[in-house]
Amino acid sequence: MTTISGHSYIAGEWVTPGGAAFYSLDPRDEAPGQGFRSCEKMEVDRALTAAERAYTHMRTLDGRTIAAFLKAVADEIEALGDTLIEVCDRETALGPVRLAGERGRTTGQLRAFADIAAQGEWVQASIDTAMPDRQPLPKSDLRRMLRPVGPVAVFGASNFPLAFSVAGGDTASALAAGNPVIVKGHPSHPATSELVAQAFDRAIVSTGFPAGCFSLLQSAGHEAGVELARHPGLQAIGFTGSLAGGRALMDIAAARPRPIPVFAEMGSVNPVFLGPETLARTGEAIATGLSGSVCMGTGQFCTSPGLAIMVADEVFEGHMRRAMDAAPRGYLLNPGIRDALIQGLDRLTNTDGVEWLNETDFDANGMSPPNAVFRVSGDAFLAERRLAEEVFGPVTLLVACRDQEQMLHIATSLDGNLTGAIHADDDPGLSDRLLPALEDRVGRIIFNGYPTGVEVCPSQQHGGPFPAASDAASTSVGTDAILRFARFIAYQDAPQELLPVALRDANPLGIHRRLNGRLTRKPV
Ligand code: NAP
């Protein structure tokens, strides 16, 4: 029988931190469950000291050893069985079906990164052999590959308690690259986090992996996270969550005596552009698809479409009003998200020209919100920049433009986003004109579809220009997420025995390498 202790997990030991108490809450009735205590500077120091020690060992490990560990973690998460789903549902109200799917995504990611580590080609090995007789100067032997960076802090989001949390994509990719990970547990699902840390503990014991490779610091309030981000032993941060939280960590990391990179995936409004002729022909179907995407998971997805830009169309507004009222309601993840949603709805209702088109009633404690659709004219939207900010929850704003020119103007006025979608098959020329504006502003462009439901595969791009992400060049979903937690090192005229195995002449790993500019598996 699995029990929850309320402890944090630091380098193979369960510890009781000295900080303030907080509780696991059921969002349906805010009933408190298991108590926890927040970690403080002492626990952060302890986790970092252990991580730095573990790193000296981890950097020498081959990819297959790391892969065996990641697979063991995936197996242990599955072995938690229904308990994990029940505990997680109690803390998030996301429901067993969604959570079982998210567990599959989490273990799938762990195994995908295990395969990447075992196969070893992710290091992008490149060898340029020496030319001692080159004139006027001889050329040295140069060999370059990606190497781990050292201890990485992971801050997960509340809305993905498994796939973007303790054993989520940031943790899996950082470990796969050979880095120790310290997770700052999200206060919205501490019991779920502890169960997953128990899975890590069992995998560490069964594989003999260095204990300092993983720690979970439970905390509510910013203290432990700020200490972690400031700690001189930390080398990088992976963050998924709000713009305010991500920006705060970016600023802390930049203000350190030695700044470190922060890979933050933050909020997004994911604009959907709807051509007038396309709406005239398929408006009802688009309203069904769009409202389904807005309301999925009670709107608590980073890819939820919070803006729909169209030429004014009252018939479509009617379709949207009905579709949003008909969509099932769910629960918000925590009282903080409820309060932020109420503030966001108040901001929309109090903005000149914005009209709430449908039902407005919350349940008694406000945790089950209405599925809200608003309307504003293109002119009023352009006059108030805050209308383009995320309101996290089942909310979308229809921007009714004068004409297609105004749609294009709005496209070029938007900030960075994770995604942008275009429905314009019946509007000749519109997609071509929207495309460059979206390429400059989003990470993923969707045609005739909706942004929720992020496929996890090598061709995925989950990121985008600020404020969607802190580093537009990287992705936090898909196997290339590993590249965030590694850096290139070049070895010049290095003796064979000092080179990492991937760069040795014989190519003992049998990986593809760029040898004098050509991709090959041949030895040097
Ligand atoms: P959050 O409030 O930013 O919290 C994320 C984590 O950061 C928590 O552990 C939080 O813990 C910590 N934190 C927040 N502010 C901090 C600060 N100033 N200093 C230090 N630590 C801080 O986000 P959330 O409520 O979990 O998630 C909802 C948001 O995430 C939405 O805006 C959503 O769009 C976004 N999201 C984005 C993606 C994506 O991939 N882009 C995915 C999922 C969610 P403490 O409060 O204990 O400090």
Side-chain angles (χ1 to χ4, degrees), residues 38 154-160 164 184-189 219-227 229 239-249 252 264-268 270 299-304 333-334 336-337 390-392 418 462-463 467-469 476-477:
S38 285
V154 170
F155 292 72
S158 56
N159 56 344
F160 277 97
F164 277 97
K184 152 55 179 95
H186 199 293
S188 197
H189 51 259
S219 88
H222 303 337
E223 187 190 334
V226 170
E227 287 293 344
F239 171 92
T240 311
S242 64
L243 174 57
R247 181 68 207 227
L249 291 173
I252 291 168
E265 301 295 334
M266 301 172 282
S268 191
N270 305 295
Q300 299 169 113
F301 283 115
C302 50
T303 48
S304 187
L333 287 155
N334 57 55
I337 286 179
E390 179 189 54
V391 178
F392 194 61
L418 293 170
H462 192 69
S476 67
V477 176

Short mmCIF file of all heavy atoms in Angstrom, two decimals, residues 38 154-160 164 184-189 219-227 229 239-249 252 264-268 270 299-304 333-334 336-337 390-392 418 462-463 467-469 476-477, ligand 1:
data_model
loop_
_atom_site.label_atom_id
_atom_site.label_comp_id
_atom_site.label_asym_id
_atom_site.label_seq_id
_atom_site.Cartn_x
_atom_site.Cartn_y
_atom_site.Cartn_z
N SER A 38 7.27 23.57 3.48
CA SER A 38 8.09 24.16 2.41
C SER A 38 9.58 24.02 2.71
O SER A 38 10.02 24.21 3.85
CB SER A 38 7.77 25.65 2.26
OG SER A 38 6.54 25.81 1.63
N VAL A 154 14.15 22.24 -12.25
CA VAL A 154 12.92 22.12 -13.04
C VAL A 154 11.74 22.65 -12.22
O VAL A 154 11.51 22.21 -11.10
CB VAL A 154 12.67 20.65 -13.46
CG1 VAL A 154 11.28 20.48 -14.05
CG2 VAL A 154 13.73 20.19 -14.46
N PHE A 155 11.03 23.61 -12.81
CA PHE A 155 9.79 24.15 -12.22
C PHE A 155 8.65 23.70 -13.13
O PHE A 155 8.57 24.14 -14.28
CB PHE A 155 9.80 25.68 -12.21
CG PHE A 155 10.80 26.31 -11.28
CD1 PHE A 155 12.16 26.27 -11.56
CD2 PHE A 155 10.38 26.96 -10.12
CE1 PHE A 155 13.08 26.86 -10.71
CE2 PHE A 155 11.29 27.55 -9.26
CZ PHE A 155 12.64 27.50 -9.56
N GLY A 156 7.78 22.82 -12.63
CA GLY A 156 6.67 22.34 -13.46
C GLY A 156 5.45 23.22 -13.30
O GLY A 156 5.37 24.07 -12.41
N ALA A 157 4.47 23.02 -14.19
CA ALA A 157 3.23 23.81 -14.16
C ALA A 157 2.13 23.04 -13.42
O ALA A 157 2.18 21.82 -13.28
CB ALA A 157 2.77 24.11 -15.59
N SER A 158 1.10 23.79 -12.98
CA SER A 158 0.00 23.15 -12.27
C SER A 158 -0.91 22.36 -13.22
O SER A 158 -1.54 21.39 -12.82
CB SER A 158 -0.84 24.21 -11.55
OG SER A 158 -1.27 25.18 -12.49
N ASN A 159 -0.96 22.77 -14.50
CA ASN A 159 -1.97 22.21 -15.39
C ASN A 159 -1.56 20.91 -16.06
O ASN A 159 -2.35 20.29 -16.74
CB ASN A 159 -2.40 23.24 -16.44
CG ASN A 159 -1.24 23.78 -17.25
OD1 ASN A 159 -0.10 23.61 -16.86
ND2 ASN A 159 -1.53 24.41 -18.35
N PHE A 160 -0.31 20.51 -15.89
CA PHE A 160 0.16 19.19 -16.36
C PHE A 160 0.86 18.52 -15.17
O PHE A 160 2.09 18.51 -15.11
CB PHE A 160 1.11 19.33 -17.55
CG PHE A 160 0.42 19.48 -18.86
CD1 PHE A 160 0.23 20.73 -19.40
CD2 PHE A 160 -0.04 18.37 -19.55
CE1 PHE A 160 -0.42 20.88 -20.62
CE2 PHE A 160 -0.69 18.51 -20.77
CZ PHE A 160 -0.87 19.77 -21.30
N PHE A 164 4.30 17.71 -17.35
CA PHE A 164 5.17 18.89 -17.21
C PHE A 164 5.49 19.09 -15.74
O PHE A 164 5.50 20.22 -15.25
CB PHE A 164 4.49 20.15 -17.74
CG PHE A 164 4.60 20.35 -19.23
CD1 PHE A 164 3.58 19.95 -20.07
CD2 PHE A 164 5.72 20.94 -19.79
CE1 PHE A 164 3.67 20.14 -21.44
CE2 PHE A 164 5.82 21.14 -21.16
CZ PHE A 164 4.80 20.73 -21.98
N LYS A 184 11.59 21.71 -8.28
CA LYS A 184 10.84 22.53 -7.31
C LYS A 184 9.39 22.10 -7.47
O LYS A 184 8.76 22.37 -8.50
CB LYS A 184 11.09 23.99 -7.64
CG LYS A 184 10.03 25.02 -7.30
CD LYS A 184 9.58 25.07 -5.88
CE LYS A 184 8.52 26.17 -5.72
NZ LYS A 184 7.15 25.64 -5.81
N GLY A 185 8.86 21.38 -6.48
CA GLY A 185 7.52 20.81 -6.61
C GLY A 185 6.46 21.90 -6.71
O GLY A 185 6.56 22.94 -6.06
N HIS A 186 5.43 21.65 -7.55
CA HIS A 186 4.35 22.64 -7.65
C HIS A 186 3.40 22.47 -6.47
O HIS A 186 2.95 21.35 -6.18
CB HIS A 186 3.57 22.46 -8.97
CG HIS A 186 2.80 23.69 -9.31
ND1 HIS A 186 1.74 24.14 -8.55
CD2 HIS A 186 2.97 24.60 -10.29
CE1 HIS A 186 1.28 25.26 -9.06
NE2 HIS A 186 2.01 25.57 -10.13
N PRO A 187 3.07 23.59 -5.76
CA PRO A 187 2.23 23.48 -4.56
C PRO A 187 0.80 23.03 -4.85
O PRO A 187 0.06 22.71 -3.92
CB PRO A 187 2.27 24.91 -3.99
CG PRO A 187 2.66 25.80 -5.13
CD PRO A 187 3.52 24.97 -6.03
N SER A 188 0.42 22.98 -6.12
CA SER A 188 -0.95 22.60 -6.48
C SER A 188 -1.13 21.08 -6.51
O SER A 188 -2.26 20.61 -6.50
CB SER A 188 -1.26 23.21 -7.84
OG SER A 188 -2.62 23.23 -8.09
N HIS A 189 -0.02 20.31 -6.58
CA HIS A 189 -0.18 18.84 -6.58
C HIS A 189 1.00 18.15 -5.84
O HIS A 189 1.68 17.31 -6.41
CB HIS A 189 -0.34 18.29 -8.01
CG HIS A 189 0.72 18.75 -8.97
ND1 HIS A 189 0.53 19.74 -9.88
CD2 HIS A 189 1.98 18.33 -9.17
CE1 HIS A 189 1.62 19.92 -10.59
NE2 HIS A 189 2.53 19.08 -10.18
N SER A 219 7.44 22.90 -1.94
CA SER A 219 7.31 24.22 -1.34
C SER A 219 6.10 24.95 -1.91
O SER A 219 5.71 24.72 -3.06
CB SER A 219 8.56 25.07 -1.54
OG SER A 219 8.51 25.77 -2.75
N ALA A 220 5.54 25.82 -1.09
CA ALA A 220 4.48 26.73 -1.54
C ALA A 220 4.97 28.13 -1.20
O ALA A 220 5.34 28.40 -0.06
CB ALA A 220 3.18 26.43 -0.81
N GLY A 221 4.99 29.01 -2.15
CA GLY A 221 5.60 30.33 -1.94
C GLY A 221 6.94 30.32 -2.65
O GLY A 221 7.52 29.27 -2.89
N HIS A 222 7.44 31.52 -2.96
CA HIS A 222 8.56 31.61 -3.87
C HIS A 222 9.94 31.35 -3.27
O HIS A 222 10.91 31.22 -4.00
CB HIS A 222 8.60 33.00 -4.52
CG HIS A 222 7.33 33.37 -5.25
ND1 HIS A 222 6.44 32.43 -5.72
CD2 HIS A 222 6.80 34.58 -5.58
CE1 HIS A 222 5.42 33.04 -6.30
NE2 HIS A 222 5.61 34.34 -6.22
N GLU A 223 10.03 31.24 -1.92
CA GLU A 223 11.36 31.26 -1.29
C GLU A 223 12.30 30.17 -1.83
O GLU A 223 13.42 30.46 -2.26
CB GLU A 223 11.21 31.12 0.23
CG GLU A 223 12.54 31.32 0.95
CD GLU A 223 12.47 30.96 2.44
OE1 GLU A 223 11.38 31.04 3.03
OE2 GLU A 223 13.53 30.60 2.98
N ALA A 224 11.83 28.94 -1.82
CA ALA A 224 12.72 27.84 -2.24
C ALA A 224 13.10 27.98 -3.71
O ALA A 224 14.26 27.76 -4.09
CB ALA A 224 12.04 26.49 -2.01
N GLY A 225 12.13 28.40 -4.54
CA GLY A 225 12.42 28.56 -5.97
C GLY A 225 13.44 29.65 -6.22
O GLY A 225 14.33 29.51 -7.06
N VAL A 226 13.32 30.75 -5.45
CA VAL A 226 14.26 31.86 -5.63
C VAL A 226 15.66 31.42 -5.16
O VAL A 226 16.67 31.68 -5.84
CB VAL A 226 13.76 33.10 -4.85
CG1 VAL A 226 14.83 34.18 -4.80
CG2 VAL A 226 12.49 33.64 -5.51
N GLU A 227 15.74 30.73 -4.02
CA GLU A 227 17.04 30.22 -3.53
C GLU A 227 17.68 29.30 -4.56
O GLU A 227 18.88 29.35 -4.80
CB GLU A 227 16.87 29.46 -2.21
CG GLU A 227 16.58 30.32 -1.00
CD GLU A 227 17.74 31.22 -0.60
OE1 GLU A 227 18.88 30.97 -1.05
OE2 GLU A 227 17.49 32.20 0.12
N ALA A 229 17.14 29.20 -7.84
CA ALA A 229 17.56 29.93 -9.05
C ALA A 229 18.84 30.72 -8.80
O ALA A 229 19.63 30.95 -9.72
CB ALA A 229 16.44 30.86 -9.51
N PHE A 239 11.48 25.76 -16.99
CA PHE A 239 10.28 26.27 -16.31
C PHE A 239 9.08 26.14 -17.22
O PHE A 239 9.17 26.46 -18.42
CB PHE A 239 10.49 27.75 -15.94
CG PHE A 239 9.25 28.44 -15.44
CD1 PHE A 239 8.97 28.49 -14.08
CD2 PHE A 239 8.36 29.05 -16.33
CE1 PHE A 239 7.81 29.13 -13.62
CE2 PHE A 239 7.20 29.68 -15.88
CZ PHE A 239 6.94 29.73 -14.51
N THR A 240 7.95 25.72 -16.69
CA THR A 240 6.68 25.77 -17.41
C THR A 240 5.67 26.40 -16.47
O THR A 240 5.49 25.91 -15.35
CB THR A 240 6.19 24.37 -17.80
OG1 THR A 240 7.26 23.68 -18.43
CG2 THR A 240 5.03 24.45 -18.78
N GLY A 241 5.02 27.45 -16.90
CA GLY A 241 4.04 28.09 -16.03
C GLY A 241 3.65 29.44 -16.54
O GLY A 241 3.64 29.69 -17.75
N SER A 242 3.37 30.34 -15.60
CA SER A 242 2.84 31.66 -15.96
C SER A 242 3.94 32.58 -16.47
O SER A 242 5.12 32.39 -16.18
CB SER A 242 2.17 32.28 -14.74
OG SER A 242 3.17 32.51 -13.75
N LEU A 243 3.52 33.61 -17.18
CA LEU A 243 4.46 34.63 -17.64
C LEU A 243 5.12 35.32 -16.44
O LEU A 243 6.34 35.54 -16.44
CB LEU A 243 3.71 35.66 -18.51
CG LEU A 243 4.50 36.88 -18.97
CD1 LEU A 243 5.75 36.46 -19.74
CD2 LEU A 243 3.63 37.78 -19.84
N ALA A 244 4.33 35.62 -15.40
CA ALA A 244 4.90 36.31 -14.23
C ALA A 244 5.98 35.46 -13.59
O ALA A 244 7.07 35.95 -13.26
CB ALA A 244 3.79 36.63 -13.23
N GLY A 245 5.71 34.15 -13.41
CA GLY A 245 6.69 33.26 -12.77
C GLY A 245 7.93 33.09 -13.63
O GLY A 245 9.07 33.18 -13.14
N GLY A 246 7.73 32.85 -14.93
CA GLY A 246 8.86 32.65 -15.83
C GLY A 246 9.73 33.89 -15.91
O GLY A 246 10.96 33.82 -15.87
N ARG A 247 9.07 35.05 -15.99
CA ARG A 247 9.82 36.31 -16.10
C ARG A 247 10.63 36.55 -14.82
O ARG A 247 11.79 37.00 -14.87
CB ARG A 247 8.84 37.45 -16.35
CG ARG A 247 9.49 38.80 -16.51
CD ARG A 247 10.29 38.82 -17.79
NE ARG A 247 11.39 39.74 -17.73
CZ ARG A 247 11.67 40.63 -18.70
NH1 ARG A 247 10.92 40.69 -19.77
NH2 ARG A 247 12.70 41.40 -18.60
N ALA A 248 10.03 36.24 -13.66
CA ALA A 248 10.74 36.45 -12.39
C ALA A 248 12.01 35.59 -12.37
O ALA A 248 13.08 36.06 -11.98
CB ALA A 248 9.82 36.09 -11.21
N LEU A 249 11.91 34.34 -12.80
CA LEU A 249 13.09 33.46 -12.80
C LEU A 249 14.12 33.91 -13.83
O LEU A 249 15.33 33.83 -13.59
CB LEU A 249 12.66 32.01 -13.02
CG LEU A 249 11.88 31.41 -11.86
CD1 LEU A 249 11.34 30.04 -12.22
CD2 LEU A 249 12.74 31.31 -10.59
N ILE A 252 15.95 36.75 -12.17
CA ILE A 252 16.86 36.27 -11.11
C ILE A 252 18.11 35.65 -11.75
O ILE A 252 19.24 35.92 -11.34
CB ILE A 252 16.15 35.24 -10.21
CG1 ILE A 252 15.06 35.92 -9.39
CG2 ILE A 252 17.14 34.51 -9.30
CD1 ILE A 252 14.11 34.96 -8.69
N ALA A 264 12.13 28.92 -20.31
CA ALA A 264 10.79 29.08 -19.74
C ALA A 264 9.75 29.03 -20.84
O ALA A 264 9.86 29.73 -21.84
CB ALA A 264 10.71 30.43 -19.01
N GLU A 265 8.76 28.15 -20.66
CA GLU A 265 7.59 28.11 -21.54
C GLU A 265 6.46 28.73 -20.75
O GLU A 265 6.11 28.25 -19.68
CB GLU A 265 7.23 26.67 -21.91
CG GLU A 265 8.34 25.91 -22.61
CD GLU A 265 8.68 26.45 -23.97
OE1 GLU A 265 7.80 27.08 -24.59
OE2 GLU A 265 9.82 26.28 -24.40
N MET A 266 5.87 29.80 -21.28
CA MET A 266 4.94 30.58 -20.47
C MET A 266 3.56 30.67 -21.13
O MET A 266 3.19 29.82 -21.92
CB MET A 266 5.58 31.95 -20.22
CG MET A 266 6.92 31.79 -19.50
SD MET A 266 7.90 33.27 -19.33
CE MET A 266 8.62 33.44 -20.96
N GLY A 267 2.82 31.69 -20.79
CA GLY A 267 1.45 31.81 -21.27
C GLY A 267 1.38 32.16 -22.75
O GLY A 267 2.36 32.58 -23.35
N SER A 268 0.20 31.98 -23.34
CA SER A 268 0.04 32.20 -24.77
C SER A 268 -1.45 32.36 -25.08
O SER A 268 -2.29 31.76 -24.40
CB SER A 268 0.59 30.96 -25.49
OG SER A 268 0.71 31.17 -26.87
N ASN A 270 -2.56 32.06 -28.45
CA ASN A 270 -2.77 31.15 -29.58
C ASN A 270 -3.86 31.64 -30.55
O ASN A 270 -4.94 31.02 -30.65
CB ASN A 270 -3.12 29.76 -29.03
CG ASN A 270 -2.06 29.28 -28.07
OD1 ASN A 270 -0.93 29.08 -28.46
ND2 ASN A 270 -2.41 29.16 -26.80
N GLY A 299 -10.13 24.86 -20.21
CA GLY A 299 -9.32 25.96 -20.76
C GLY A 299 -7.93 26.07 -20.17
O GLY A 299 -7.23 27.05 -20.43
N GLN A 300 -7.53 25.07 -19.38
CA GLN A 300 -6.25 25.19 -18.66
C GLN A 300 -5.12 24.53 -19.44
O GLN A 300 -4.42 23.64 -18.94
CB GLN A 300 -6.41 24.61 -17.25
CG GLN A 300 -7.47 25.37 -16.46
CD GLN A 300 -7.85 24.68 -15.18
OE1 GLN A 300 -7.59 25.18 -14.11
NE2 GLN A 300 -8.47 23.52 -15.28
N PHE A 301 -4.98 24.93 -20.68
CA PHE A 301 -3.87 24.49 -21.52
C PHE A 301 -3.12 25.72 -22.00
O PHE A 301 -3.76 26.74 -22.34
CB PHE A 301 -4.38 23.71 -22.74
CG PHE A 301 -4.79 22.31 -22.43
CD1 PHE A 301 -6.12 21.91 -22.56
CD2 PHE A 301 -3.86 21.37 -22.02
CE1 PHE A 301 -6.50 20.61 -22.27
CE2 PHE A 301 -4.24 20.07 -21.74
CZ PHE A 301 -5.55 19.68 -21.86
N CYS A 302 -1.80 25.60 -22.08
CA CYS A 302 -1.01 26.71 -22.62
C CYS A 302 -1.36 26.96 -24.07
O CYS A 302 -1.13 28.04 -24.60
CB CYS A 302 0.46 26.40 -22.47
SG CYS A 302 0.88 24.78 -23.08
N THR A 303 -1.92 25.96 -24.75
CA THR A 303 -2.26 26.10 -26.17
C THR A 303 -3.74 26.44 -26.38
O THR A 303 -4.23 26.39 -27.51
CB THR A 303 -1.94 24.80 -26.93
OG1 THR A 303 -2.48 23.71 -26.19
CG2 THR A 303 -0.44 24.61 -27.10
N SER A 304 -4.44 26.80 -25.32
CA SER A 304 -5.87 27.13 -25.47
C SER A 304 -6.02 28.38 -26.36
O SER A 304 -5.32 29.37 -26.16
CB SER A 304 -6.45 27.39 -24.08
OG SER A 304 -7.84 27.56 -24.17
N LEU A 333 -7.98 24.36 -11.45
CA LEU A 333 -6.98 23.55 -10.74
C LEU A 333 -6.76 23.98 -9.30
O LEU A 333 -6.46 23.15 -8.44
CB LEU A 333 -5.65 23.61 -11.48
CG LEU A 333 -5.61 22.84 -12.79
CD1 LEU A 333 -4.55 23.41 -13.72
CD2 LEU A 333 -5.33 21.37 -12.51
N ASN A 334 -6.86 25.27 -9.05
CA ASN A 334 -6.60 25.73 -7.69
C ASN A 334 -7.20 27.12 -7.47
O ASN A 334 -7.53 27.81 -8.45
CB ASN A 334 -5.09 25.70 -7.37
CG ASN A 334 -4.28 26.54 -8.35
OD1 ASN A 334 -4.57 27.72 -8.53
ND2 ASN A 334 -3.29 25.94 -8.98
N GLY A 336 -5.90 29.86 -6.72
CA GLY A 336 -5.11 30.94 -7.35
C GLY A 336 -5.53 31.13 -8.80
O GLY A 336 -5.68 32.27 -9.27
N ILE A 337 -5.75 30.03 -9.52
CA ILE A 337 -6.18 30.13 -10.92
C ILE A 337 -7.60 30.68 -10.98
O ILE A 337 -7.93 31.49 -11.86
CB ILE A 337 -6.02 28.75 -11.62
CG1 ILE A 337 -4.52 28.52 -11.87
CG2 ILE A 337 -6.83 28.68 -12.91
CD1 ILE A 337 -4.16 27.23 -12.54
N GLU A 390 -3.18 36.72 -22.08
CA GLU A 390 -3.84 35.46 -21.73
C GLU A 390 -4.79 35.63 -20.53
O GLU A 390 -4.42 36.25 -19.54
CB GLU A 390 -2.77 34.42 -21.38
CG GLU A 390 -3.32 33.07 -20.97
CD GLU A 390 -2.23 32.14 -20.43
OE1 GLU A 390 -1.51 32.53 -19.48
OE2 GLU A 390 -2.12 31.03 -20.94
N VAL A 391 -6.01 35.10 -20.66
CA VAL A 391 -6.89 34.91 -19.50
C VAL A 391 -6.98 33.39 -19.35
O VAL A 391 -7.62 32.72 -20.17
CB VAL A 391 -8.28 35.54 -19.70
CG1 VAL A 391 -9.16 35.29 -18.49
CG2 VAL A 391 -8.15 37.04 -19.96
N PHE A 392 -6.32 32.84 -18.34
CA PHE A 392 -6.16 31.39 -18.23
C PHE A 392 -7.46 30.74 -17.75
O PHE A 392 -7.91 30.99 -16.64
CB PHE A 392 -5.01 31.09 -17.27
CG PHE A 392 -4.51 29.68 -17.32
CD1 PHE A 392 -3.97 29.15 -18.49
CD2 PHE A 392 -4.56 28.87 -16.19
CE1 PHE A 392 -3.51 27.86 -18.54
CE2 PHE A 392 -4.08 27.57 -16.24
CZ PHE A 392 -3.56 27.07 -17.41
N LEU A 418 2.77 30.57 -28.69
CA LEU A 418 3.17 29.19 -28.97
C LEU A 418 2.67 28.75 -30.33
O LEU A 418 3.38 28.08 -31.08
CB LEU A 418 2.61 28.25 -27.90
CG LEU A 418 3.17 28.40 -26.50
CD1 LEU A 418 2.36 27.58 -25.50
CD2 LEU A 418 4.63 27.99 -26.47
N HIS A 462 7.45 23.29 -29.58
CA HIS A 462 6.64 23.87 -28.52
C HIS A 462 7.47 24.97 -27.87
O HIS A 462 8.30 24.72 -27.00
CB HIS A 462 6.24 22.81 -27.50
CG HIS A 462 5.18 23.28 -26.55
ND1 HIS A 462 3.88 23.51 -26.95
CD2 HIS A 462 5.21 23.58 -25.24
CE1 HIS A 462 3.17 23.92 -25.92
NE2 HIS A 462 3.96 23.98 -24.87
N GLY A 463 7.24 26.17 -28.35
CA GLY A 463 7.99 27.33 -27.90
C GLY A 463 7.56 28.47 -28.80
O GLY A 463 6.61 28.33 -29.57
N PRO A 467 6.51 36.70 -25.38
CA PRO A 467 6.51 36.09 -24.06
C PRO A 467 6.10 34.61 -24.03
O PRO A 467 5.97 34.06 -22.94
CB PRO A 467 5.48 36.92 -23.31
CG PRO A 467 4.48 37.30 -24.35
CD PRO A 467 5.27 37.48 -25.62
N ALA A 468 5.90 33.96 -25.19
CA ALA A 468 5.52 32.55 -25.14
C ALA A 468 6.65 31.73 -24.51
O ALA A 468 6.40 30.78 -23.76
CB ALA A 468 5.22 32.03 -26.55
N ALA A 469 7.87 32.07 -24.82
CA ALA A 469 9.02 31.36 -24.27
C ALA A 469 10.19 32.33 -24.11
O ALA A 469 10.23 33.39 -24.75
CB ALA A 469 9.42 30.21 -25.20
N SER A 476 10.28 22.70 -25.82
CA SER A 476 10.19 21.94 -24.58
C SER A 476 9.43 20.63 -24.79
O SER A 476 9.29 19.84 -23.85
CB SER A 476 9.51 22.77 -23.48
OG SER A 476 8.16 23.00 -23.81
N VAL A 477 8.93 20.40 -25.99
CA VAL A 477 8.25 19.13 -26.29
C VAL A 477 8.95 18.50 -27.49
O VAL A 477 9.33 19.21 -28.44
CB VAL A 477 6.75 19.36 -26.60
CG1 VAL A 477 6.08 18.05 -27.01
CG2 VAL A 477 6.03 19.94 -25.39
P1 NAP B 1 3.02 29.46 -12.02
O1 NAP B 1 2.15 30.06 -11.02
O2 NAP B 1 3.95 30.36 -12.77
O3 NAP B 1 3.89 28.35 -11.22
C1 NAP B 1 4.89 27.56 -11.81
C2 NAP B 1 5.99 27.26 -10.77
O4 NAP B 1 6.83 28.40 -10.60
C3 NAP B 1 5.49 26.90 -9.41
O5 NAP B 1 6.34 25.92 -8.83
C4 NAP B 1 5.61 28.20 -8.63
O6 NAP B 1 5.73 27.87 -7.29
C5 NAP B 1 6.86 28.80 -9.23
N1 NAP B 1 6.88 30.28 -9.23
C6 NAP B 1 5.89 31.08 -9.69
N2 NAP B 1 6.25 32.38 -9.56
C7 NAP B 1 7.50 32.39 -9.04
C8 NAP B 1 8.42 33.43 -8.67
N3 NAP B 1 8.10 34.71 -8.81
N4 NAP B 1 9.60 33.08 -8.15
C9 NAP B 1 9.93 31.77 -7.98
N5 NAP B 1 9.10 30.75 -8.30
C10 NAP B 1 7.90 31.04 -8.82
O7 NAP B 1 2.22 28.70 -13.16
P2 NAP B 1 0.99 27.65 -13.07
O8 NAP B 1 -0.13 28.27 -12.31
O9 NAP B 1 1.44 26.39 -12.59
O10 NAP B 1 0.56 27.41 -14.59
C11 NAP B 1 -0.39 28.15 -15.28
C12 NAP B 1 0.30 28.95 -16.39
O11 NAP B 1 1.25 28.16 -17.08
C13 NAP B 1 -0.62 29.44 -17.48
O12 NAP B 1 -0.34 30.78 -17.76
C14 NAP B 1 -0.29 28.58 -18.69
O13 NAP B 1 -0.55 29.15 -19.93
C15 NAP B 1 1.15 28.33 -18.47
N6 NAP B 1 1.62 27.10 -19.12
C16 NAP B 1 2.47 27.18 -20.15
C17 NAP B 1 2.90 26.04 -20.79
C18 NAP B 1 3.84 26.12 -21.95
O14 NAP B 1 4.34 25.12 -22.38
N7 NAP B 1 4.13 27.29 -22.44
C19 NAP B 1 2.45 24.79 -20.37
C20 NAP B 1 1.59 24.73 -19.29
C21 NAP B 1 1.20 25.92 -18.67
P3 NAP B 1 5.49 28.87 -6.03
O15 NAP B 1 4.20 29.58 -6.28
O16 NAP B 1 5.47 27.94 -4.86
O17 NAP B 1 6.65 29.80 -6.01
#
